[in-house]
Amino acid sequence: MKVTIIGGGGRVGSNAAFALQCAGLVSEIQILDANTDLAEGEALDLLHGASTLGDQRIYAGDYDRAKDSDIFVITAGLRRKPDESRLDLINRNVSLFQQILASIQSAGYSDSAQFFIVSNPVDILTQLAAQALNVPEKQVYGLGTMLDTARFRSLLSADLGLPATQVKALILGEHGDSMVPIWSSATVAGHLLSSMKACNPNFQKTIFERTKGSGAEVIRRKGGAGWAVGATIAETVHSVVLDKQQILPVSSVQKGAYGLKNVSISVPTVLGREGVLSHVEFDLWPKEMQGLRNSAQSLRETFAKVSQ
């Protein structure tokens, strides 16, 4: 399996490449970046560790060399300028994203290639990619609320003194302000978290607000997310590579699950070798269902405003 990381010279792309290298489940990792020196440097640094980690082929390349990739992971993006509105930033990133898609299309790609969108705003860009690329929609998906979900679980485990890998809880909806915490099915070792005395409404509110503000906190403290997002990218890729068919909160264009259509948003999604295999509908509390609808509406409104 060959994975090309577009924007691989940046923090998110390079951390994702390292996570993939550590797992050793893909045979080839290409680093592609507009800054070719940076891409070469990241590839070289990763290559230097190959003898202790694995036997993948790791190198910097270009779009022509990427055309036989099994998975394109797009992480390239722009940061907000001082006093820039959210919509202006979105439009700048849409413009950059369209240039990347044009470069991919110009070089070519296989009929079975999958496109994994990480760049923000991830839901908007995933929907744009699904419209622009000549592949079935199941082969286009975004990171969605994977990182939000990982943060949510980890913060819950830390505050409750529970093992992180045994906490199962989801964030659904938009990767953004309208994200929705799903408390109705949150468990630890199979037991409902909502039945714990410590997990009271005030605690739930505090944890969710910390989860929602985690991205801004990491940016303030170290300049941007890296390791956690790299780990969630690797988890998503591995569900495809190994055909694990995990249920993950990735973003994809909806066709009716939870009553949602024509919007790319995160719901429980079965992800395997052919991409998005299905969406799974669980019973949600009424307030969670309403939150998911509100999140979808927010995304539709934003999508209608972007410069396409």
Side-chain angles (χ1 to χ4, degrees):
M1 294 289 290
K2 177 177 177 177
V3 174
T4 289
I5 303 176
I6 300 174
R11 186 198 305 267
V12 172
S14 59
N15 284 187
F18 182 64
L20 289 171
Q21 182 185 28
C22 286
L25 296 179
V26 299
S27 59
E28 199 167 344
I29 302 171
Q30 176 177 242
I31 308 296
L32 196 162
D33 199 280
N35 185 333
T36 54
D37 280 344
L38 186 58
E40 292 280 0
E42 290 292 352
L44 184 62
D45 198 8
L46 291 166
L47 180 65
H48 287 165
S51 62
T52 64
L53 291 174
D55 297 319
Q56 303 102 324
R57 295 180 296 281
I58 303 174
Y59 55 89
D62 54 28
Y63 286 101
D64 189 60
R65 199 172 178 184
K67 60 188 177 184
D68 62 341
S69 299
D70 295 289
I71 304 175
F72 291 83
V73 181
I74 305 177
T75 67
L78 303 169
R79 294 185 180 181
R80 184 178 292 189
K81 298 177 180 178
D83 301 321
E84 183 178 33
S85 72
R86 178 173 177 269
L87 185 59
D88 284 344
L89 175 63
I90 288 172
N91 281 325
R92 285 202 300 129
N93 270 315
V94 165
S95 179
L96 172 63
F97 189 71
Q98 288 173 327
Q99 293 173 35
I100 290 170
L101 292 183
S103 296
I104 293 172
Q105 290 168 316
S106 178
Y109 51 88
S110 73
D111 293 340
S112 61
Q114 295 186 24
F115 297 85
F116 178 18
I117 315 305
V118 178
S119 308
N120 281 316
V122 64
D123 302 294
I124 301 299
L125 299 185
T126 300
Q127 189 166 356
L128 286 173
Q131 291 180 352
L133 294 165
N134 187 29
V135 295
E137 283 187 349
K138 68 179 181 179
Q139 292 168 216
V140 181
Y141 44 88
L143 188 66
T145 55
M146 285 285 293
L147 177 57
D148 305 302
T149 290
R151 288 168 169 164
F152 189 41
R153 293 173 176 177
S154 298
L155 290 172
L156 278 168
S157 70
D159 275 36
L160 293 173
L162 301 169
T165 58
Q166 290 190 279
V167 174
K168 305 300 180 186
L170 290 169
I171 298 287
L172 300 180
E174 175 194 17
H175 173 56
D177 292 340
S178 68
M179 67 177 69
V180 184
I182 308 301
W183 291 103
S184 57
S185 59
T187 63
V188 57
H191 299 279
L192 285 171
L193 279 172
S194 59
S195 66
M196 293 181 63
K197 289 183 179 180
C199 194
N200 57 55
N202 286 335
F203 173 82
Q204 291 179 16
K205 180 180 179 182
T206 299
I207 286 292
F208 175 56
E209 290 302 319
R210 285 178 61 197
T211 299
K212 191 161 66 169
S214 287
E217 182 179 3
V218 172
I219 290 171
R220 177 172 60 83
R221 291 182 181 276
K222 59 169 282 188
W227 298 114
V229 68
T232 57
I233 290 169
E235 181 182 12
T236 306
V237 170
H238 294 160
S239 190
V240 174
V241 170
L242 298 179
D243 196 25
K244 293 172 73 174
Q245 301 187 25
Q246 284 181 283
I247 299 175
L248 302 173
V250 294
S251 183
S252 61
V253 177
Q254 300 304 309
K255 299 297 183 182
Y258 297 93
L260 307 176
K261 293 183 179 181
N262 303 319
V263 62
S264 188
I265 193 170
S266 290
V267 301
T269 303
V270 180
L271 194 68
R273 183 62 188 87
E274 295 182 358
V276 174
L277 303 179
S278 64
H279 299 108
V280 182
E281 295 187 70
F282 298 104
D283 288 336
L284 301 178
W285 288 342
K287 65 179 181 180
E288 294 170 344
M289 190 65 245
Q290 187 57 52
L292 194 56
R293 292 192 188 103
N294 293 343
S295 192
Q297 183 58 31
S298 175
L299 284 168
R300 289 190 192 97
E301 292 172 359
T302 300
F303 190 80
K305 294 176 183 176
V306 299
S307 300
Q308 298 182 41

